Amino acid sequence: DSITNNLSNDPTVMGFVINARDITERKQAEEALKEREEHFRALIENSLDGIAIVNEDLTISYESPSAERILGYKLEELIKKSVLDFIHPDDKDNVIKTFRSLAKHPAQTIPATVRLIHKDATWHVMEATANNLLNNPAVKGVVINYRDVTERQRAQEALKQREAHFRAMIENSLDDVAILDGKGNILYQSPSIERVLGYKLEEHKGKNSFAFVHPDDMAAVIKAFTELVKNPGSTYKGELRAQHGDGSWRMLEVMTRNFLDDPVVGGILANFRDITERKRAEEERVEHAAALARAEELQLSRQRIVNAQESVRRD
């Protein structure tokens, strides 16, 4: 960087006076600054999130190009407009209150969730972070970073509804549902345990399930359970006797599956059904059939005796 003065007419100099200054570092700094600006501009303009700068009167002074992809508006449709024009009526009071509070605290950051109107007239849920830079001369506004979480919210709501649905099914099921760890300890117990075996939840949950198994069935149950634990994803179906809360023994039909490696379940899923009455009915039918068979055999025997007697008389 230099300045040249023509002093050729000055008899004391008889030439040119050149003042020079080394501005290499300044140029390098300017180039570096320019590169950083271009770098951050590219990041902002191609970000999946939206970035806006809002004035103290809630008008939009800057909006990143990603706003068109997120909300469907051209930039000129947003700049100088009030953010309240795009906020859901039920969220406006909270937004105004939050903004006023934020404006009193420079450099403070506040997270928020707000619904914005899309250009197609649908409401989209935005997850946002507002940073007060009103006192920053380079910004002079509140910087808002926002992203569309509508689909995530819908997925969460759908998941909550499914969870409520399955919870209602489990809690009102005729069967009992339990989750056991690899040692048979009860990690989860459905409320239907009271209907199936007569125990309150607090009497059963946390106990070892083998404590309720009939002594004569214990060896077979432990053997089957040990094999089940060794094989992730495997299933077992069988019958066992379990003690009821009133001290009686009930016959249960059991269906288990190994979900120990499943991060959602993390245990042995067990379904129990009381089949005591069914077993009694089956036994009664067997006994009745046996009694009929014995009666028929007795009748046949009597007939054979009569036939023999008749034969003897004829002889």
Side-chain angles (χ1 to χ4, degrees), residues 69-82:
R69 177 180 44 76
I70 297 173
L71 291 171
Y73 299 101
K74 300 288 186 182
L75 294 183
E76 55 269 22
E77 296 178 281
L78 297 171
I79 302 300
K80 296 184 179 180
K81 298 291 181 64
S82 172

Side-chain angles (χ1 to χ4, degrees), residues 7 9-10 19 24-25 38 42 56 62 65 82 96 116 130 154-156 165 169 187 204 217 238 263 274 290 303 315:
L7 299 178
N9 294 327
D10 190 329
N19 294 289
T24 305
E25 291 184 0
E38 291 176 352
E56 197 167 1
Y62 170 82
S82 172
I96 294 171
L116 298 181
R154 288 172 181 168
Q156 289 174 346
H165 172 71
M169 290 179 63
L187 303 176
H204 218 246
D217 297 343
D274 188 345
Q303 188 61 46
D315 290 343

Side-chain angles (χ1 to χ4, degrees), residues 74-137:
K74 300 288 186 182
L75 294 183
E76 55 269 22
E77 296 178 281
L78 297 171
I79 302 300
K80 296 184 179 180
K81 298 291 181 64
S82 172
V83 292
L84 297 178
D85 294 341
F86 306 94
I87 292 175
H88 193 283
D90 295 342
D91 297 342
K92 285 185 179 181
D93 289 343
N94 188 50
V95 167
I96 294 171
K97 181 180 178 181
T98 301
F99 196 87
R100 286 175 178 172
S101 175
L102 180 66
K104 297 176 183 179
H105 302 89
Q108 186 179 23
T109 300
I110 294 179
T113 301
V114 65
R115 287 167 289 181
L116 298 181
I117 187 73
H118 193 278
K119 191 170 183 178
D120 63 9
T122 59
W123 291 102
H124 287 229
V125 180
M126 299 292 157
E127 189 176 72
T129 301
N131 187 10
N132 181 359
L133 295 179
L134 288 165
N135 292 339
N136 188 321

Side-chain angles (χ1 to χ4, degrees), residues 12-261:
T12 62
V13 179
M14 300 297 290
F16 293 91
V17 176
I18 300 174
N19 294 289
R21 180 184 298 166
D22 188 348
I23 60 169
T24 305
E25 291 184 0
R26 191 182 77 187
K27 282 292 185 181
Q28 290 174 344
E30 290 174 353
E31 288 297 324
L33 179 61
K34 183 178 179 181
E35 288 179 4
R36 285 199 298 272
E37 287 178 349
E38 291 176 352
H39 171 73
F40 287 117
R41 184 180 295 108
L43 287 175
I44 291 172
E45 292 180 353
N46 295 280
S47 172
L48 293 176
D49 296 351
I51 300 175
I53 298 177
V54 179
N55 297 321
E56 197 167 1
D57 62 356
L58 290 174
T59 57
I60 303 168
S61 61
Y62 170 82
E63 187 69 66
S64 64
S66 51
E68 184 173 358
R69 177 180 44 76
I70 297 173
L71 291 171
Y73 299 101
K74 300 288 186 182
L75 294 183
E76 55 269 22
E77 296 178 281
L78 297 171
I79 302 300
K80 296 184 179 180
K81 298 291 181 64
S82 172
V83 292
L84 297 178
D85 294 341
F86 306 94
I87 292 175
H88 193 283
D90 295 342
D91 297 342
K92 285 185 179 181
D93 289 343
N94 188 50
V95 167
I96 294 171
K97 181 180 178 181
T98 301
F99 196 87
R100 286 175 178 172
S101 175
L102 180 66
K104 297 176 183 179
H105 302 89
Q108 186 179 23
T109 300
I110 294 179
T113 301
V114 65
R115 287 167 289 181
L116 298 181
I117 187 73
H118 193 278
K119 191 170 183 178
D120 63 9
T122 59
W123 291 102
H124 287 229
V125 180
M126 299 292 157
E127 189 176 72
T129 301
N131 187 10
N132 181 359
L133 295 179
L134 288 165
N135 292 339
N136 188 321
V139 181
K140 297 181 180 179
V142 174
V143 178
I144 300 175
N145 292 268
Y146 61 93
R147 66 177 56 183
D148 191 337
V149 295
T150 307
E151 293 305 319
R152 190 180 75 189
Q153 288 265 340
R154 288 172 181 168
Q156 289 174 346
E157 286 299 321
L159 180 60
K160 286 173 63 176
Q161 290 178 4
R162 287 198 298 272
E163 287 177 349
H165 172 71
F166 287 116
R167 185 180 296 110
M169 290 179 63
I170 289 172
E171 293 180 353
N172 295 280
S173 172
L174 293 176
D175 296 351
D176 178 36
V177 179
I179 297 176
L180 315 175
D181 67 10
K183 295 181 180 179
N185 298 313
I186 301 170
L187 303 176
Y188 168 80
Q189 185 74 66
S190 68
S192 51
I193 184 65
E194 186 172 358
R195 181 172 54 254
V196 176
L197 287 176
Y199 296 100
K200 299 289 185 181
L201 278 178
E202 56 272 18
E203 297 177 290
H204 218 246
K205 189 176 180 180
K207 302 286 182 66
N208 189 281
S209 57
F210 299 131
F212 303 92
V213 177
H214 194 284
D216 294 344
D217 297 343
M218 188 69 72
V221 169
I222 291 177
K223 181 181 178 181
F225 189 84
T226 302
E227 288 299 317
L228 183 70
V229 170
K230 290 179 181 178
N231 300 285
S234 62
T235 60
Y236 169 79
K237 183 177 181 180
E239 297 175 358
L240 59 85
R241 286 167 290 181
Q243 192 168 34
H244 193 276
D246 61 11
S248 63
W249 293 99
R250 300 296 176 93
M251 181 63 72
L252 301 182
E253 184 179 66
V254 182
M255 172 67 79
T256 57
R257 184 166 185 178
N258 184 345
F259 284 106
L260 286 168
D261 292 341

Side-chain angles (χ1 to χ4, degrees), residues 253-309:
E253 184 179 66
V254 182
M255 172 67 79
T256 57
R257 184 166 185 178
N258 184 345
F259 284 106
L260 286 168
D261 292 341
D262 189 306
V264 177
V265 181
I268 303 293
L269 181 63
N271 291 271
F272 303 92
R273 176 177 296 174
D274 188 345
I275 59 171
T276 306
E277 297 303 322
R278 190 183 78 189
K279 281 291 184 181
R280 287 174 182 168
E282 289 175 355
E283 291 172 359
E284 289 174 359
R285 286 197 297 271
V286 170
E287 291 175 0
H288 180 65
L292 288 176
R294 288 194 297 271
E296 290 176 358
E297 182 63 28
L298 181 60
Q299 182 64 30
L300 290 174
S301 297
R302 288 175 178 172
Q303 188 61 46
R304 284 195 293 270
I305 292 172
V306 170
N307 291 340
Q309 290 173 342

